[in-house]
Amino acid sequence: GENVEQHPSTLSVQEGDSAVIKCTYSDSASNYFPWYKQELGKRPQLIIDIRSNVGEKKDQRIAVTLNKTAKHFSLHITETQPEDSAVYFCAAIPVNDYKLSFGAGTTVTVRA
Amino acid sequence: EAGVAQSPRYKIIEKRQSVAFWCNPISGHATLYWYQQILGQGPKLLIQFQNNGVVDDSQLPKDRFSAERLKGVDSTLKIQPAKLEDSAVYLCASSLEGQGARSFFGQGTRLTVV
């Protein structure tokens, strides 16, 4: 099955700086890569996703990049704000499968 | 729109006791998932339903866990008997058929086994 690894496990950044989270996946058949944000005690919420036919996608201050050859994808948050503090999970899903395989998560802390 | 509803929010039980969790998916969502999220880890799929049929239960510890979705809407997840290592948040998620990646999660049930 799919194995997703996520780094770093914790990330502390100064408000206004950028944050980058990286994930690798094992199954070359994976073609959909969502990112979820989970605030303390709350549900995971989809914040952005990317499909394998796209190399980069942006949505305001967040962007995702995908390198299919290397089987890794990244989340970039620019101009970080205190409300960006949360746990972020990457995930991968193979084509013709509906099972999300999650990374272990990255705890992001934005220091004011 | 109404989201995925779960109950209870919290549950504390002693080991070897039984517990059940309930999930009501978003209206019209054919696919329902139960995930186990242990503290500090990402969600791990336990079971996936398509309408009232099981699609994938390969990660479900069937000796103690069971789940059903009899009418293809609500679902219950049961643990009997519970072990200490079952302490986790149990998340329910749902999606439209064929769009499993765009899953919407419930608030989860935090289970503590003492």
Side-chain angles (χ1 to χ4, degrees):
Chain A
E2 176 64 273
N3 180 44
V4 178
E5 295 192 354
Q6 183 172 346
H7 300 280
S9 57
T10 61
L11 181 59
S12 179
V13 296
Q14 189 70 37
E15 182 177 359
D17 288 349
S18 296
V20 180
I21 304 170
K22 298 181 180 180
C23 290
T24 61
Y25 61 100
S26 61
D27 189 345
S28 57
S30 288
N31 69 339
Y32 181 83
F33 307 91
W35 286 87
Y36 285 83
K37 175 183 180 182
Q38 187 174 29
E39 297 177 55
L40 189 63
K42 297 188 176 180
R43 71 189 76 193
Q45 290 195 306
L46 179 70
I47 56 171
I48 195 167
D49 53 20
I50 190 168
R51 297 193 182 273
S52 60
N53 59 345
V54 175
E56 183 176 0
K57 183 177 178 181
K58 289 183 179 180
D59 183 3
Q60 298 182 338
R61 295 186 297 107
I62 58 174
V64 290
T65 59
L66 171 65
N67 183 326
K68 282 213 71 180
T69 302
K71 290 192 284 189
H72 66 70
F73 55 113
S74 301
L75 176 72
H76 304 252
I77 307 173
T78 59
E79 300 173 21
T80 53
Q81 300 170 5
E83 53 264 36
D84 295 329
S85 296
V87 180
Y88 291 81
F89 293 98
C90 62
I93 185 167
V95 63
N96 297 326
D97 193 354
Y98 303 131
K99 184 167 65 179
L100 281 168
S101 294
F102 284 89
T106 297
T107 301
V108 173
T109 303
V110 180
R111 306 186 307 271
Chain B
E1 64 176 30
V4 177
Q6 287 188 250
S7 66
R9 286 295 312 277
Y10 307 93
K11 190 73 177 179
I12 301 174
I13 62 172
E14 295 182 348
K15 59 184 179 184
R16 292 186 290 274
Q17 284 187 324
S18 301
V19 65
F21 313 128
W22 173 83
C23 173
N24 181 234
I26 293 172
S27 177
H29 280 193
T31 307
L32 184 147
Y33 312 81
W34 283 102
Y35 290 89
Q36 180 191 58
Q37 186 176 22
I38 293 173
L39 186 64
Q41 298 181 17
K44 184 187 81 170
L45 181 70
L46 292 175
I47 189 167
Q48 176 188 341
F49 291 95
Q50 187 72 16
N51 296 308
N52 61 347
V54 175
V55 174
D56 185 344
D57 63 356
S58 58
Q59 300 293 313
L60 188 74
K62 299 180 186 64
D63 58 332
R64 297 183 301 105
F65 286 65
S66 64
E68 60 183 15
R69 193 185 184 199
L70 293 175
K71 296 182 179 180
V73 182
D74 294 4
S75 176
T76 56
L77 176 69
K78 297 179 182 178
I79 307 175
Q80 179 180 11
K83 293 185 175 181
L84 297 177
E85 57 261 38
D86 297 332
S87 294
V89 175
Y90 290 84
L91 292 163
C92 179
S94 70
S95 69
L96 291 170
E97 183 174 356
Q99 297 185 40
R102 288 188 172 262
S103 297
F104 296 86
F105 285 85
Q107 293 271 37
T109 296
R110 181 176 297 278
L111 174 67
T112 303
V113 183
V114 297

